[in-house]
Amino acid sequence: MSIRTIIADDDAGMRLMLAKIIERCEGYELVGEAVDGKALIELYEREKPQVVITDVEMPALSGVDCARLIQDQDPRAVIIFATAHEQYMGDAFEVY
């Protein structure tokens, strides 16, 4: 049984890179991609993945806001923040 994973990033190149990494990881299955926070929440509710890899700074809802909503729905969901913005580190750790 594969670990269902989704990715969210407003940058197409980053989504492609993350998708390729997931494809190479045995036991993981990419079940969807989102281009903004609103799409991420919709995708999460539809697919119910165990792992979410998200950018922090996205249109509609930030990755941190999305993580809070996802944790409210399922505290067991694993959320990985993929960002180059160091200033968001504190917010990301606060979610957990």
Side-chain angles (χ1 to χ4, degrees), residues 75-95:
R76 298 169 300 166
V78 174
I79 300 169
I80 300 167
F81 293 102
T83 186
H85 299 282
E86 196 174 301
Q87 70 267 27
Y88 295 114
M89 196 172 1
D91 292 336
F93 282 116
E94 184 182 300
V95 173

Side-chain angles (χ1 to χ4, degrees), residues 67-82:
R68 287 186 178 117
L69 292 169
I70 290 168
Q71 288 290 292
D72 286 346
Q73 291 182 44
D74 183 1
R76 298 169 300 166
V78 174
I79 300 169
I80 300 167
F81 293 102

Side-chain angles (χ1 to χ4, degrees), residues 27-84:
Y28 288 81
E29 175 188 9
L30 180 61
V31 295
E33 299 180 24
V35 299
D36 62 36
K38 184 176 183 240
L40 169 56
I41 296 302
E42 291 170 0
L43 180 63
Y44 178 82
E45 290 174 348
R46 186 174 64 245
E47 296 295 335
K48 302 292 187 205
Q50 292 104 331
V51 175
V52 176
I53 302 172
T54 183
D55 186 12
V56 173
E57 195 171 280
M58 292 188 296
L61 285 169
S62 76
V64 173
D65 291 336
C66 290
R68 287 186 178 117
L69 292 169
I70 290 168
Q71 288 290 292
D72 286 346
Q73 291 182 44
D74 183 1
R76 298 169 300 166
V78 174
I79 300 169
I80 300 167
F81 293 102
T83 186

